[in-house]
Amino acid sequence: MNLRNLKTLPNLVSNRLMTLPLVVLYLTDGCNSKCAMCDIWKAPRVNMDMALVDDLVRSCQQLDTRMVLLSGGEAMQHPEWPAIAHKFRAAGIKVWMLTNGLLLRKQARDVSDTIDSLTVSHDAATPDLYHQIRGVDGLDLLLDGMQLVSKGGVPVSTRTTLMRINYHQMPDIVDVALEAGARQVSFLAVDTVNPYAFGPRFEDGVIPLTNTSPFGGLLPEDLPKFAAVLDRMEIDYAAHFADGRIAESPQKLRRLYDYFAEPLGEGEFEPPRCNAPHISLVVNVDGRLQPCYFLPSWGNLDGQTLVDALNDEEAMRLREAYRSGERHECKRCVCPLYRGPRSLLKGW
């Protein structure tokens, strides 16, 4: 048995963490998309300081971190992102990147040289719809970049945020992504309620993605159409579900239906299973710490290391609160992360 993997198991039974398998880094607040469902691109760009990066590399080694996820904003807009990736890989830590893909074609060589796995946000199968959602004309850049990186040996996956304007394109999105070299396609629902996710969102913390917005949830008349899309996919893409090219099972995709139906009084969404705050955390560009994407910050790395901050009183209080069901944000979380004992023993 791998003793390194065994060291993570106590995390699952205590609010004091012994290791930190996954660390998410918001490298920059800058973004070159203008997404309708996020306003981080409106803020002035702030890049993570390299001195903070060096401190995090040392702390991640001490905390036996297996993987860092480079995110943002748009991670590839940090001018030193390849050097940051090299630092973590030199420390024996795998590097995963989440990107909108607009710079992939231009920086494909750097990605191939420094990244262990890549997830690309892919919200439309046609250029016009991509432009409506992302605010830029970039689908060709995205798909060309995926092809180059995939041919360079980096495993590429895609993540699609489903909303009223694009759910009908689910089958086409699968086809286009796989043709562009993706090994796996994944779907999640648009988040319309959480003010903490993915940086400061919208003025006064109010998220204007109501069901009247094409970039929000579904309308009652959309529900039977969405159900029909899911039914058709279960039949037409049975092989893709079976071999994992579509990450979610048909049953998990139907949870997306429940997520959209519940606010309309048409169903009930069961809160997802998640233990993200016990196996990961998020470090913002300024050193602020969050237990996960969707819970509030508990502190800052100003004057202390991640090792010191990981188990302070407020951090453990937040872990206890989500575990006991006290955090309302968890009840409609669109992106849960769960790792059980068997998964942790196998490694990240």
Side-chain angles (χ1 to χ4, degrees):
M1 182 178 294
N2 189 320
L3 293 179
R4 185 187 186 196
N5 296 341
L6 190 63
K7 287 170 60 178
T8 303
L9 294 184
N11 285 16
L12 301 183
V13 295
S14 171
N15 292 321
R16 177 175 292 277
L17 304 189
M18 305 297 292
T19 65
L20 193 58
L22 173 66
V23 174
V24 180
L25 302 184
Y26 285 157
L27 292 188
T28 178
D29 280 344
C31 190
N32 49 354
S33 287
K34 296 181 179 179
C35 297
M37 58 284 191
C38 174
D39 72 348
I40 196 170
W41 54 271
K42 298 179 182 178
R45 185 192 304 181
V46 178
N47 295 326
M48 183 174 283
D49 187 81
M50 293 300 286
L52 175 56
V53 171
D54 289 336
D55 289 342
L56 289 169
V57 172
R58 289 189 289 269
S59 290
C60 286
Q61 284 182 297
Q62 290 179 259
L63 293 167
D64 207 14
T65 297
R66 322 286 180 80
M67 181 174 287
V68 295
L69 171 59
L70 306 184
S71 184
E74 170 48 47
M76 296 181 75
Q77 283 206 309
H78 192 297
E80 300 294 330
W81 78 259
I84 293 171
H86 274 301
K87 287 175 182 289
F88 282 101
R89 292 183 91 185
I93 299 167
K94 291 186 180 296
V95 179
W96 173 21
M97 176 179 276
L98 175 61
T99 177
N100 62 27
L102 297 179
L103 293 173
L104 273 181
R105 188 166 72 184
K106 182 178 180 180
Q107 301 189 35
R109 175 62 63 86
D110 285 330
V111 173
S112 297
D113 290 345
T114 62
I115 300 300
D116 293 290
S117 59
L118 185 78
T119 298
V120 180
S121 297
H122 180 206
D123 293 335
T126 57
D128 287 347
L129 185 56
Y130 183 93
H131 190 278
Q132 287 184 65
I133 295 171
R134 291 266 158 180
V136 295
D137 183 12
L139 184 59
D140 288 345
L141 288 173
L142 167 80
L143 299 176
D144 289 350
M146 286 172 55
Q147 285 276 15
L148 289 171
V149 170
S150 178
K151 290 177 180 177
V154 177
V156 177
S157 62
T158 63
R159 173 62 63 88
T160 299
T161 300
L162 289 178
M163 56 199 91
R164 185 156 66 91
I165 198 171
N166 71 348
Y167 73 85
H168 64 284
Q169 281 202 352
M170 287 179 72
D172 298 322
I173 287 170
V174 172
D175 294 341
V176 169
L178 295 179
E179 185 177 353
R183 297 188 184 184
Q184 189 174 67
V185 179
S186 181
F187 297 94
L188 82 166
V190 63
D191 176 72
T192 60
V193 297
N194 193 298
Y196 305 114
F198 313 109
R201 298 182 67 201
F202 304 102
E203 296 178 4
D204 302 320
V206 177
I207 305 176
L209 296 181
T210 65
N211 283 81
T212 61
S213 166
F215 310 104
L218 274 55
L219 297 174
E221 57 265 32
D222 293 308
L223 292 178
K225 300 174 186 176
F226 185 40
V229 170
L230 296 177
D231 288 342
R232 188 168 73 250
M233 287 187 66
E234 185 170 1
I235 297 171
D236 293 348
Y237 292 86
H240 292 5
F241 286 115
D243 64 16
R245 281 178 286 178
I246 298 178
E248 296 81 15
S249 66
Q251 292 73 29
K252 285 189 176 181
L253 284 185
R254 292 186 190 281
R255 282 179 50 80
L256 298 175
Y257 178 94
D258 295 336
Y259 179 88
F260 288 125
E262 184 181 60
L264 303 174
E266 298 291 336
E268 184 175 348
F269 179 71
E270 182 180 347
R273 192 179 192 186
C274 179
N275 60 3
H278 278 78
I279 55 177
S280 65
L281 62 70
V282 175
V283 184
N284 285 270
V285 65
D286 58 359
R288 287 181 300 110
L289 302 173
Q290 291 176 253
C292 71
Y293 284 124
F294 301 97
L295 291 176
S297 171
W298 83 79
N300 197 295
L301 292 179
D302 185 20
Q304 63 177 335
T305 68
L306 181 56
V307 174
D308 296 329
L310 183 63
N311 289 312
D312 66 21
E313 185 176 340
E314 184 60 23
M316 290 195 288
R317 187 180 298 119
L318 270 170
R319 291 183 198 118
E320 175 58 31
Y322 98 87
R323 175 176 272 177
S324 60
E326 298 173 30
R327 297 301 312 194
H328 66 88
E329 300 92 345
C330 300
K331 295 177 182 178
R332 284 184 59 80
C333 182
V334 299
C335 190
L337 171 67
Y338 178 79
R339 291 290 186 273
R342 182 177 300 176
S343 176
L344 292 175
L345 284 172
K346 290 181 178 179
W348 189 257

